[in-house]
Amino acid sequence: MGGRTSPKVRVLLVDDLPDIRLVMRLLLEADGRAEIVGEAADGTEAVRLASELHPDVVVLDLRMPGMDGVSALPLIRDASPGTVVVALSALPVGPMTDSAIDLGATYVRKPDLRRVVNLVAALAPAPAPPKPKGGKKRRSTAA
């Protein structure tokens, strides 16, 4: 994330369900600290987009047709080092979620989408301190 010029966290959304991607997009955009830079419906597309876009965060569904999130996770990490991965799934904690956590992802259950927003927002840079009002003080030249 170093060297980022945008004040917003750049997010790639990955879920095979368009409705989940839409809800996540709306929640993150409403929060105002994230910019959705791409969306993918499976792991293969997620890896490709992560390589192209180098997002700050990938919100990654674990269970998808084709390449699932657990299989895609290390490939995403290789394609975009430094990208934070939030594993999002309706699955209860178990072997698949444990694998994602072991691979360095933060796990969030789908009903807790607000937690994803909070995790992404925590990565946003602190706002710049306000600039002092007024200009330079002039020195009097009168003698």
Side-chain angles (χ1 to χ4, degrees):
M1 277 186 19
R4 178 164 33 108
T5 58
S6 170
K8 294 189 177 190
V9 179
R10 299 175 70 250
V11 180
L12 171 61
L13 298 175
V14 184
D15 199 298
D16 59 312
L17 300 175
D19 290 346
I20 295 294
R21 292 194 314 266
L22 175 63
V23 169
M24 282 307 317
R25 174 184 283 275
L26 293 173
L27 286 170
L28 288 165
E29 288 176 347
D31 178 75
R33 291 176 278 190
E35 172 189 6
I36 309 305
V37 295
E39 294 187 19
D42 61 40
T44 302
E45 190 177 7
V47 173
R48 181 183 61 78
L49 287 175
S51 178
E52 290 174 15
L53 302 171
H54 299 283
D56 299 315
V57 178
V58 174
V59 178
L60 179 67
D61 185 18
L62 292 181
R63 201 164 63 180
M64 297 178 287
M67 183 187 295
D68 65 28
V70 173
S71 299
L73 209 157
L75 300 174
I76 289 168
R77 289 231 183 260
D78 288 343
S80 184
T83 293
V84 173
V85 178
V86 177
L88 183 64
S89 183
L91 297 170
V93 174
M96 193 173 224
T97 58
D98 288 346
S99 293
I101 292 166
D102 290 345
L103 290 166
T106 299
Y107 171 67
V108 177
R109 294 237 13 218
K110 275 190 179 173
D112 198 5
L113 298 181
R114 179 55 63 188
R115 182 163 176 240
V116 174
V117 174
N118 293 337
L119 287 168
V120 169
L123 297 171
K131 294 182 181 178
K133 295 195 181 212
K136 292 182 180 178
K137 290 186 179 181
R138 294 181 138 185
R139 279 197 266 175
S140 175
T141 55

